[in-house]
Every structure is written in structure tokens, then in C-alpha cells.
């Protein structure tokens, strides 16, 4: 496997843990607000698996875990063996996913290969394909939601709320969909300079707070993230 990026230390990507973050290229979605456009296109630096594990062995006892992100990590053919090698070194594993590969996610959870899952909820079921920039099989997303809501693994749901892709009117549908979720975040859109699409922007803090109030009718613990 070839890694497309490595952040050697993060205090943010794995909630409550110190971690490093590995980035894999390629994604089956084309969200216009994606801030990792180079990764989606499979561009960026190249780090071999051997290099990564040599680095990780030097971090034993210094960091808690590894956050695996993308792109979409579950597109990687050998992601299970990769996560298994991390676990063998006694690190925790956090997996970021768009939820479109429920069978592979189920396998990771059932095998104990991930300790925390962060799943993107792109929009309400009705607005999903608009936000994802491609036609999405919502049944697959539903299977992943159901798996996480079963409580078999610590997890969070999150939505990047970008103007032009995610609408205030989507909030009620999202809230009903994941009603009772233990952790859900509305994330502010930030233009990284490497955005995948056009015509997207940030909502104001006041607009984000109003959308949060709508969601909190169904998910009382919902919160804002990255909104100043």
C-alpha cells in the first residue's frame, strides 16, 4: 500500500487521544466542498508502507493511536491488513469513512480493527447525491448508519455544512435520520485552497447555530466544530 500523506502528530484528529494521521488517496465521492482535492485525485506525496511502520515503531509509548483517513480509506484493497499491523503494535485505530462500503466497515468492526469510527453524513437522504457530487446508493449509507448506531464501536457522525451543497432545509432530515446518535458534529466549511468543486462557501456562525438548533431537536448532544 502507498500512503499519500502523513501527519506525524495530531491532537485533533482522534478525539481525546494523541495520534498520527495517515492519508490515502482516491475517493468514490466528488463532494464539491472537499478540502483534499489532491488526495481524491490520488496526488500528493508518496510514503511506502515500510517507511510508515518504521516511523510508527519509533512512536510506541509516545502516541496513543493512528487516524486513517483519505480520500476514502475503505477503497484500499489491503486496508484490513494495514489496520491489523497497527493494532499488533498496540496502537488504537480511528477510521474515517463516507459509509458507502458497509460490508468492509462491518468486517473492520467485527474483527476489532478499529476502535473509533468517524462517518460523514453528507446531507439528508434526499440531498445526499447533491452533497456527494455523484449518485449515491443511500441503502449502503443506511447500512453503515445502522451498524454504528448499534453501538458496537465508539463513533461519531459529522456533516461539513458548505453553502451551495448542504442546505438549511437538510437539517431536519439529518436529525430524524440519526436521531439519538451519541456524537454528531456540524462542521464549518473552510477553503483550504485545494477544493474539489466550485460554488461553495461558508455559512455564518449565526446560520450554523440556527441549523444546530434544528438538529438538536433529534440529537441533543449535537455540537458545532470548527466554527468561530
Amino acid at each position: 500500500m502507498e500512503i499519500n500523506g502523513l501527519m506525524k502528530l495530531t491532537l485533533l484528529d482522534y478525539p481525546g487521544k494523541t495520534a498520527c494521521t495517515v492519508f490515502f488517496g482516491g475517493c468514490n465521492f466528488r463532494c464539491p466542498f472537499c478540502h483534499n482535492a489532491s488526495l481524491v485525485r490520488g496526488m500528493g506525496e508518496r510514503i511506502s508502507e515500510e517507511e510508515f511502520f518504521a516511523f510508527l515503531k519509533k512512536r510506541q509509548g509516545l502516541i496513543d493511536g493512528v487516524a486513517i483517513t483519505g480520500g476514502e480509506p475503505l477503497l484500499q484493497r489491503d486496508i484490513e491488513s494495514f489496520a491489523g499491523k497497527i493494532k499488533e503494535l498496540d496502537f488504537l485505530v480511528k477510521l474515517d469513512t463516507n459509509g458507502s462500503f458497509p460490508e468492509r466497515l462491518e468486517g473492520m468492526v467485527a474483527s476489532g480493527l478499529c476502535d473509533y469510527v468517524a462517518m460523514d453524513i453528507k446531507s439528508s437522504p434526499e440531498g445526499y447525491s447533491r452533497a456527494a457530487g455523484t449518485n449515491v446508493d443511500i441503502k449502503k449509507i443506511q447500512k453503515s448508519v445502522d451498524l454504528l448506531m448499534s453501538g458496537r464501536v465508539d463513533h461519531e457522525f459529522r456533516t461539513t455544512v458548505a453553502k451551495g451543497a448542504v442546505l438549511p432545509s437538510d437539517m431536519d432530515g439529518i436529525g430524524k435520520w440519526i436521531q439519538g446518535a451519541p456524537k454528531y458534529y456540524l462542521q464549518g466549511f473552510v477553503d483550504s485552497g485545494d477544493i474539489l468543486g466550485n460554488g461553495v462557501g461558508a455559512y455564518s456562525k449565526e446560520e450554523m447555530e440556527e441549523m444546530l438548533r434544528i438538529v438538536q431537536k433529534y440529537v441533543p448532544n449535537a455540537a458545532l466544530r470548527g466554527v468561530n
Side-chain angles (χ1 to χ4, degrees), residues 10-29:
T10 175
L11 304 178
L12 300 175
D13 289 348
Y14 196 142
K17 306 294 182 183
T18 57
C20 66
T21 302
V22 290
F23 299 85
F24 288 103
C27 187
N28 55 323
F29 285 4

Side-chain angles (χ1 to χ4, degrees), residues 49-50 53 56 80-91 113:
E49 191 171 337
E50 291 76 17
F53 282 105
L56 197 59
E80 293 87 356
S81 63
F82 181 79
K85 291 175 184 177
I86 295 172
K87 295 292 292 180
E88 287 172 4
L89 295 174
D90 293 323
F91 290 99
L113 295 176

Side-chain angles (χ1 to χ4, degrees), residues 137-184:
D137 184 348
I138 203 67
K139 293 180 180 177
K140 291 185 177 181
I141 306 299
Q142 183 67 62
K143 286 182 180 179
S144 293
V145 169
D146 290 343
L147 169 62
L148 296 182
M149 292 284 281
S150 72
R152 292 167 56 190
V153 64
D154 196 10
H155 66 278
E156 68 178 54
F157 296 115
R158 60 196 186 179
T159 300
T160 298
V161 188
K163 189 177 292 187
V166 182
L167 309 178
S169 57
D170 289 316
M171 295 300 112
D172 198 68
I174 294 173
K176 290 177 180 177
W177 191 11
I178 60 168
Q179 186 167 1
K183 285 177 280 191
Y184 176 56

Side-chain angles (χ1 to χ4, degrees), residues 85-102:
K85 291 175 184 177
I86 295 172
K87 295 292 292 180
E88 287 172 4
L89 295 174
D90 293 323
F91 290 99
L92 298 170
V93 172
K94 179 207 174 206
L95 174 70
D96 291 351
T97 182
N98 63 26
S100 63
F101 298 96

Side-chain angles (χ1 to χ4, degrees), residues 2 6 28 45 56 79 105 125 130 157 167 185 190 192 202 204 215 224:
E2 201 167 62
L6 172 63
N28 55 323
E45 64 179 308
L56 197 59
I79 194 66
L105 179 58
R130 175 198 346 111
F157 296 115
L167 309 178
Y185 299 96
V190 177
S192 67
S204 68
V215 168
L224 298 180

Side-chain angles (χ1 to χ4, degrees), residues 30-35 130-133 164-165 189 195-200:
R30 287 296 181 270
C31 309
F33 50 84
C34 178
H35 65 280
R130 175 198 346 111
F189 168 77
I195 303 300
L196 193 58
N198 299 308
V200 294

Side-chain angles (χ1 to χ4, degrees), residues 186 206 208-218:
L186 294 182
E206 292 73 23
M208 292 291 292
E209 288 172 343
E210 178 56 33
M211 287 185 276
L212 177 64
R213 282 191 284 272
I214 295 171
V215 168
Q216 284 178 329
K217 293 188 296 183
Y218 310 99

